Amino acid sequence: MHSEEVLALFRKMVEARRFEEKAAELYTQGHIRGFCHLYIGQEAVIVGVAKNIKYLQESPLDSVITSYRDHAHMLTLGVDPRIIMAELCGKEAGCSKGKGGSMHMYSKPLNFYGGNGIVGAQVSIGTGLALAHKYNNDGGVALIFYGDGAANQGQVYESFNMAALWKLPAVYVLENNRYALGTSIPRAVAGNSLINRGDPFGIPTIIVDGMDVFDVIDKSREAIDYARSGNGPIILHMDTYRYRGHSMSDPGTYRPRSEIEQIKKERDPIVKIKSELLTTYNVSPEEIERIEEEAERLMKTAAEFAINAEEADVGQLETDIILS
Amino acid sequence: MQVRTAIRDAIAEEMRRDRSVFLMGEEVGRYNGAYKASQGLLDEFGEQRVIDTPITEYGFAGIGVGTALAGLRPIVEFMTFNFAMQAIDHIVNSAAKTLYMSGGAMHCPIVFRGPNGVPRGVAAQHSQCFAGWYAHVPGLKVVAPYTAMEAKCLLKAAIRDDNPVVFLEHEVLYGQQFEMRDDIRLLSKPSESVLMEGDPARRTGVYLSVHEDSSTGPTQQKNDCGELGKKSIELLPLDKAVIMRHGTDITITAFSISVMHAMEAAGILWEKHGISAEVINLISLRPIDRDTIVNSVMKTGRIINIEEGWSACGIGSEIISIVTETAFDYLDAEPVRITSADVPMPYSKQLEDLALPNVDMIVNRIARMCGRR
Ligand SMILES: Cc1ncc(C[n+]2csc(CCOP(=O)(O)OP(=O)(O)O)c2C)c(N)n1
Ligand SMILES: [Mg+2]
């Protein structure tokens, strides 16, 4: 990869992290309410996968769907951070006009279908996106992100079955961050592993270091190519980790702090790409610092924009319910 | 006592009393409940009886039904009732109908419980009242407590009941403090009511109607009334409403958190408009306590229902049907429903406030119904 390309990846990951840090700040200050699920620690997953999304002219061909932990997906796909932050603050300028909030964000032009608050629901809906790609014969692939907790829902396997049966162009991106709220994998998953969940359906699984953006890029390219070439669905098992609580209201007493600290120290995806830039790509520390500062400034501006934006328009209460 | 503690205590007491009672759901054990309504239960009862499930509502609701058919008494917790939608098939098709389909050969003593309604700030997929959905289904009992005392005594009764019970809690009420002793107070005669500042309705015997009926309800409890505390009732009937406040001009029916709004509105109506409102805390949504409602309307001539759910086919729709069918001639004004706006719940506070019923709305509507301004 060219160093410019790597720098762009680095920038995206830093932006995602700074965005979430700002969101946490605004939550604490009372600008954001309700549930707010941060993506900190998992940045390499969406940034790496998004690198392989196929575009026709300027528009993405592939489609993406995920859970409530969706800010970084929106941001990485290219939505203006001010618009995302405004949504978090319930403002008129937000991507859902303040009606959806943190868990429910969408972008039609970017083929991003949310933002789903019901654990596992996005897997069936995402499989429907894949069916539509096949139906339209448009060459697109559906990228379906879901958690290790979601991986236990029945509808996931109903979807796997149909996706395999009909050879749908679906890439299931399992973001295994080891916990579903407070429940760790060994306490929820028979056999203590999710890597063979595609086997009964003949769906291959590729194991990925979800904390290493280069590994994510390589293996997601392979998976997306596989699905796009008409081979049917495939699973990317991302080994990743979330640093913060499940949501802003989770004290996180179910895991030792040392576990988090150790992973931050040994596997942090941003630290990893940074050292790669410094050593392999000969990028100067000043250049890296500049990008970090720019990201910081960008998110500061986004926060200011969101805080000062107009409140949600009361005239919008009864719109967007049904089309006439 | 907080409502969440009352719920915890009810479960703990029933589990101590009956080995067949157990709790299952997401994060009920090690995490002590997503809303801490099962604090300490894993420590006391161990993993066999306090079971953490994966996020698999459809599966564990069905498993719960299976254990109930086999003679156990499961309490199935949904982290919120929004997620019970994944499992509604087992609640309706498996739990509610088996007694009938088996010609009475098989029954299903199960409690489905968890927070229902609008917890504030969590948008459309996490803010919804399912009272009307479950109240629609023959074969279910559906209750929604308001106070801590109700939560405790109704949950204990629900666990002992031989039928499937849908038990609707409210996240906003979990942290609410209620005086247990005061609540438990039963007054034998209305004359013992404590009148304050000329308000004929203040602080009347809260559980008066409960007591009057309690000998026939599942409580079988002949309580010596007029006493505080100790000899307190342990169970409340699952099918009885409670008159929270007596009045003569209008009947306000409500359940769960809406009772709070109704009580506040009733106070304002008396102070500002001299309107005497009778507040009925419905508690039971299936069956609905028709007698308490109809008797009240025959006295007041007016009825309004407050609920957090949507208006179409809601609890208020049912209550108004009951009243117009049985006490039509007693009505002096058109019956009214106050509900959430007919929209999915918006996220932003501005819009959410507009979407929810509030005290001002209730006061103004009632003042108009009673011909004031
Ligand atoms: C059907 C359903 N059940 C329960 C919940 C509550 N809940 C929200 S997120 C979550 C944990 C999900 O964990 P996982 O799938 O691993 O995703 P992560 O949060 O780790 O990204 C739970 C239990 C829900 N939103 N929907
Ligand atoms: Mg997880």
Side-chain angles (χ1 to χ4, degrees):
Chain A
M1 231 181 279
H2 197 267
S3 74
E4 287 306 311
E5 257 179 292
V6 182
L7 273 172
L9 292 169
F10 173 67
R11 183 188 292 276
K12 289 228 166 204
M13 287 165 69
V14 173
E15 283 178 358
R17 184 162 299 183
R18 293 291 173 273
F19 181 93
E20 296 292 60
E21 285 165 357
K22 263 292 172 248
E25 221 176 287
L26 265 54
Y27 191 94
T28 314
Q29 294 165 1
H31 295 292
I32 299 172
R33 60 205 297 257
F35 293 134
C36 184
H37 308 84
L38 304 181
Y39 197 68
I40 298 180
Q42 303 179 212
E43 297 90 349
V45 176
I46 182 61
V47 172
V49 173
K51 179 104 173 77
N52 293 311
I53 286 181
K54 186 169 176 179
Y55 287 79
L56 292 180
Q57 275 109 32
E58 297 291 281
S59 301
L61 172 62
D62 302 332
S63 36
V64 180
I65 191 166
T66 189
S67 69
Y68 42 82
R69 202 177 294 287
D70 58 356
H71 314 162
H73 294 68
M74 286 283 280
L75 189 67
T76 306
L77 293 178
V79 180
D80 184 338
R82 293 177 305 171
I83 304 302
I84 308 172
M85 200 66 92
E87 187 59 36
L88 294 184
C89 294
K91 300 302 179 76
E92 166 71 6
C95 41
S96 299
K97 306 174 193 160
K99 295 178 176 188
S102 163
M103 297 187 284
H104 310 301
M105 304 201 224
Y106 310 81
S107 171
K108 187 78 189 163
L110 295 171
N111 289 348
F112 181 65
Y113 290 86
N116 201 305
I118 303 302
V119 169
Q122 76 273 25
V123 177
S124 310
I125 301 169
T127 305
L129 300 174
L131 177 58
H133 282 302
K134 175 157 184 172
Y135 189 100
N136 293 329
N137 197 19
D138 61 12
V141 166
L143 300 158
I144 304 156
F145 293 78
Y146 62 112
D148 47 285
N152 292 316
Q153 284 284 31
Q155 60 178 314
V156 171
Y157 301 95
E158 297 178 23
S159 300
F160 281 9
N161 186 45
M162 286 180 268
L165 195 62
W166 302 333
K167 284 197 180 301
L168 301 183
V171 177
Y172 296 102
V173 186
L174 168 54
E175 297 197 62
N176 181 350
N177 60 12
R178 302 194 192 177
Y179 294 89
L181 214 169
T183 303
S184 61
I185 298 276
R187 299 182 54 236
V189 174
N192 198 6
S193 164
L194 291 166
I195 59 175
N196 48 16
R197 289 283 179 99
D199 295 358
F201 308 94
I203 303 179
T205 297
I206 305 180
I207 297 169
V208 189
D209 180 354
M211 308 294 274
D212 177 351
V213 73
F214 301 108
D215 199 41
V216 174
I217 291 172
D218 289 347
K219 294 188 174 149
S220 60
R221 183 187 305 113
E222 190 186 323
I224 290 171
D225 287 350
Y226 175 92
R228 206 186 302 285
S229 319
N231 296 307
I234 185 164
I235 300 167
L236 286 168
H237 180 286
M238 300 281 177
D239 176 7
T240 183
Y241 197 76
R242 80 168 144 73
Y243 295 171
R244 300 292 185 103
H246 167 71
S247 70
M248 287 298 292
S249 36
D250 168 30
T253 46
Y254 43 83
R255 56 182 180 181
R257 272 222 70 83
S258 57
E259 179 181 297
I260 309 172
E261 292 313 320
Q262 193 185 349
I263 290 182
K264 275 187 187 171
K265 212 170 84 204
E266 295 170 5
R267 298 185 59 205
D268 184 84
I270 294 180
V271 170
K272 193 171 294 168
I273 190 171
K274 200 170 8 183
S275 74
E276 197 73 17
L277 280 167
L278 290 167
T279 53
T280 318
Y281 293 92
N282 283 324
V283 172
S284 71
E286 291 74 29
E287 176 73 0
I288 286 187
E289 215 167 287
R290 190 176 59 79
I291 290 176
E292 284 174 329
E293 276 166 13
E294 278 170 10
E296 175 74 37
R297 225 175 308 129
L298 185 64
M299 299 315 157
K300 190 160 169 275
T301 320
E304 280 162 7
F305 172 85
I307 290 168
N308 297 320
E310 291 289 324
E311 296 293 349
D313 175 5
V314 296
Q316 291 288 349
L317 177 66
E318 296 185 347
T319 62
D320 306 323
I321 294 160
I322 197 154
L323 298 173
S324 50
Chain B
M1 177 180 285
Q2 289 190 354
V3 172
R4 64 160 57 82
T5 316
I7 288 165
R8 195 270 318 272
D9 288 356
I11 298 172
E13 287 175 22
E14 292 307 301
M15 286 180 71
R16 281 175 212 135
R17 188 181 159 268
D18 180 351
R19 262 208 53 82
S20 65
V21 178
F22 71 99
L23 174 67
M24 73 197 259
E26 292 158 23
E27 308 290 357
V28 297
R30 289 243 198 129
Y31 203 82
N32 289 300
Y35 301 99
K36 304 291 172 241
S38 52
Q39 187 85 44
L41 294 182
L42 177 66
D43 284 349
E44 179 173 352
F45 299 102
E47 289 188 354
Q48 200 197 342
R49 298 183 67 197
V50 178
I51 305 174
D52 278 322
T53 64
I55 311 169
T56 51
E57 290 83 3
Y58 189 29
F60 70 71
I63 289 171
V65 170
T67 64
L69 294 176
L72 300 181
R73 290 186 172 273
I75 304 166
V76 170
E77 174 176 311
F78 294 112
M79 192 175 283
T80 78
F81 262 93
N82 303 287
F83 316 142
M85 290 239 268
Q86 306 282 315
I88 197 166
D89 177 62
H90 280 309
I91 303 174
V92 176
N93 270 325
S94 310
K97 297 177 183 171
T98 298
L99 182 65
Y100 193 83
M101 295 188 298
S102 69
M106 220 163 254
H107 70 286
C108 188
I110 188 168
V111 177
F112 298 106
R113 53 158 288 273
N116 172 62
V118 182
R120 297 328 225 49
V122 294
Q125 288 184 334
H126 288 73
S127 313
Q128 189 168 333
C129 176
F130 291 90
W133 295 52
Y134 294 111
H136 190 62
V137 183
L140 294 178
K141 292 187 176 184
V142 183
V143 290
Y146 167 52
T147 66
M149 152 79 177
E150 289 163 16
K152 180 163 179 196
C153 300
L154 288 166
L155 184 51
K156 286 167 69 84
I159 295 167
R160 291 188 206 182
D161 200 283
D162 283 333
N163 297 290
V165 180
V166 172
F167 195 86
L168 303 172
E169 299 157 16
H170 201 293
E171 195 193 320
V172 174
L173 292 177
Y174 279 149
Q176 208 91 246
Q177 289 281 352
F178 288 94
E179 181 60 72
M180 287 299 265
R181 269 167 54 118
D182 222 21
D183 280 347
I184 287 169
R185 182 173 188 175
L186 297 178
L187 299 169
S188 54
K189 293 183 238 79
S191 59
E192 286 186 33
S193 313
V194 185
L195 302 184
M196 286 167 71
E197 300 157 33
D199 178 348
R202 270 247 163 85
R203 310 297 295 160
T204 19
V206 167
Y207 286 99
L208 186 59
S209 61
V210 169
H211 167 254
E212 284 175 346
D213 291 314
S214 65
S215 55
T216 54
T219 60
Q220 300 296 338
Q221 194 124 10
K222 271 278 176 204
N223 208 307
D224 255 346
C225 314
E227 261 190 297
L228 281 181
K230 321 227 165 40
K231 286 195 64 185
S232 66
I233 48 169
E234 202 190 343
L235 306 174
L236 284 172
L238 295 174
D239 56 355
K240 290 286 179 286
V242 156
I243 299 175
M244 302 294 281
R245 176 183 168 118
H246 289 281
T248 52
D249 296 331
I250 182 157
T251 301
I252 310 180
T253 52
F255 61 94
S256 187
I257 195 166
S258 297
V259 176
M260 187 168 85
H261 303 136
M263 290 297 280
E264 201 183 327
I268 296 171
L269 283 162
W270 175 254
E271 277 154 29
K272 283 230 185 102
H273 302 277
I275 292 171
S276 162
E278 179 144 300
V279 177
I280 296 177
N281 173 0
L282 291 167
I283 291 182
S284 177
L285 306 171
R286 173 171 271 270
I288 285 179
D289 181 355
R290 306 165 73 101
D291 290 351
T292 300
I293 298 167
V294 170
N295 288 340
S296 175
V297 172
M298 288 164 106
K299 180 174 64 173
T300 62
R302 294 178 185 89
I303 178 138
I304 188 168
N305 182 73
I306 323 291
E307 70 188 293
E308 238 183 20
W310 293 304
S311 66
C313 308
I315 300 297
S317 317
E318 181 60 20
I319 284 176
I320 290 173
S321 295
I322 290 171
V323 167
T324 48
E325 281 162 5
T326 45
F328 187 75
D329 291 340
Y330 291 85
L331 288 172
D332 296 328
E334 75 288 3
V336 171
R337 289 171 291 180
I338 290 196
T339 65
S340 277
D342 196 22
V343 308
M345 193 54 60
Y347 163 70
S348 106
K349 182 163 186 329
Q350 279 66 27
L351 298 186
E352 190 188 56
D353 285 346
L354 273 182
L356 286 165
N358 64 49
V359 173
D360 281 350
M361 208 187 265
I362 301 167
V363 168
N364 294 337
R365 195 69 184 83
I366 291 177
R368 265 198 285 148
M369 286 171 80
C370 295
R372 310 291 204 282
R373 189 197 66 96

